[in-house]
């Protein structure tokens, strides 16, 4: 692909799942017969718009991820990077790895959380198109849940109109 920019996906699967409170980090919890991270990984792998996938995971979960990739015939994964202490550090480590291994400034990098299973072709396509036009893009979806603010964590002080979120 020399001379042609690439679309590279970084799939973030390095979270510890502390708030989730399970035995496994949330992205590895079974959902519909597969770990939660399987769904965005599969969608990215099947997308004709994505040229390669870099997965960020905790070092001790590499065997889980490698098994998931091999047992499901997931294509396009060309790197598995150990995550950092924070999401920001994990993204940075993946970007450094990509840059050290031939990624160029013209490449588009899509960053996807491994515990968000509802990635669609439309979101991938629009994210890439808008990043090419404006240099960057962030996907945001309208909130469907009821939202409220509590200053003391015990009583509701106000509701936030979901139409504004």
């Amino acid at each position: 692909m020399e001379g042609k920019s690439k679309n590279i996906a970084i799939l973030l699967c390095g979270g510890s799942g502390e708030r989730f409170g399970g035995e496994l980090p949330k992205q590895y919890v079974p959902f519909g017969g597969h770990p939660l991270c399987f769904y965005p990984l599969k969608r990215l792998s099947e997308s004709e718009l994505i040229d390669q996938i870099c997965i960020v995971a905790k070092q001790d979960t590499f065997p889980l991820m490698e098994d998931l990739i091999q047992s499901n015939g997931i294509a396009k994964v060309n790197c598995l990077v150990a995550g950092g202490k924070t999401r920001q550090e994990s993204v940075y480590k993946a970007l450094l790895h990509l840059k050290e291994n031939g990624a160029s400034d013209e490449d588009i990098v899509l960053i996807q959380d491994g515990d968000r299973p509802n990635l669609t072709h439309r979101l991938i396509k629009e994210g890439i198109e808008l990043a090419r036009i404006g240099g960057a893009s962030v996907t945001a979806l309208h909130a469907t849940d009821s939202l409220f603010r509590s200053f003391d964590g015990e009583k509701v002080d106000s509701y936030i109109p979901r139409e504004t979120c």
Side-chain angles (χ1 to χ4, degrees):
M1 290 204 139
E2 187 138 322
K4 180 184 176 223
S5 64
K6 299 181 292 291
N7 297 323
I8 304 167
I10 295 174
L11 184 63
L12 297 172
C13 295
S16 64
E18 278 181 39
R19 289 179 299 158
F20 185 68
E23 225 175 272
L24 289 171
K26 181 169 54 171
Q27 59 273 19
Y28 296 104
V29 170
F31 178 79
H34 295 283
L36 202 54
C37 63
F38 167 79
Y39 300 98
L41 179 58
K42 185 174 191 291
R43 181 69 66 184
L44 292 167
S45 180
E46 291 173 344
S47 175
E48 72 278 357
L49 300 174
I50 300 297
D51 299 304
Q52 64 188 62
I53 302 168
C54 179
I55 298 175
V56 179
K58 292 180 80 154
Q59 189 83 41
D60 63 349
T61 64
F62 277 19
L64 281 172
M65 185 55 71
E66 290 165 346
D67 182 56
L68 179 68
I69 293 165
Q70 291 172 0
S71 64
N72 290 286
I74 301 293
K76 300 183 185 178
V77 175
N78 71 336
C79 64
L80 190 53
V81 175
K85 291 182 177 159
T86 64
R87 183 183 197 276
Q88 182 177 358
E89 186 180 337
S90 293
V91 169
Y92 182 70
K93 288 176 82 171
L95 290 171
L96 280 179
H97 178 88
L98 292 171
K99 190 73 169 173
E100 290 167 359
N101 289 278
S104 76
D105 291 340
E106 288 76 40
D107 293 338
I108 296 294
V109 177
L110 178 113
I111 300 169
Q112 172 68 30
D113 290 336
D115 59 359
R116 306 275 184 252
N118 296 326
L119 181 63
T120 65
H121 176 73
R122 180 181 68 83
L123 292 174
I124 294 170
K125 183 176 189 243
E126 288 177 3
I128 290 169
E129 288 173 353
L130 292 170
R132 290 228 179 268
I133 292 167
S137 124
V138 174
T139 299
L141 303 174
H142 289 282
T144 57
D145 294 329
S146 295
L147 304 168
F148 63 88
R149 176 176 292 138
S150 173
F151 294 106
D152 64 8
E154 293 185 22
K155 70 176 180 16
V156 173
D157 291 296
S158 63
Y159 283 90
I160 302 168
R162 70 182 82 163
E163 303 80 36
T164 65
C165 299

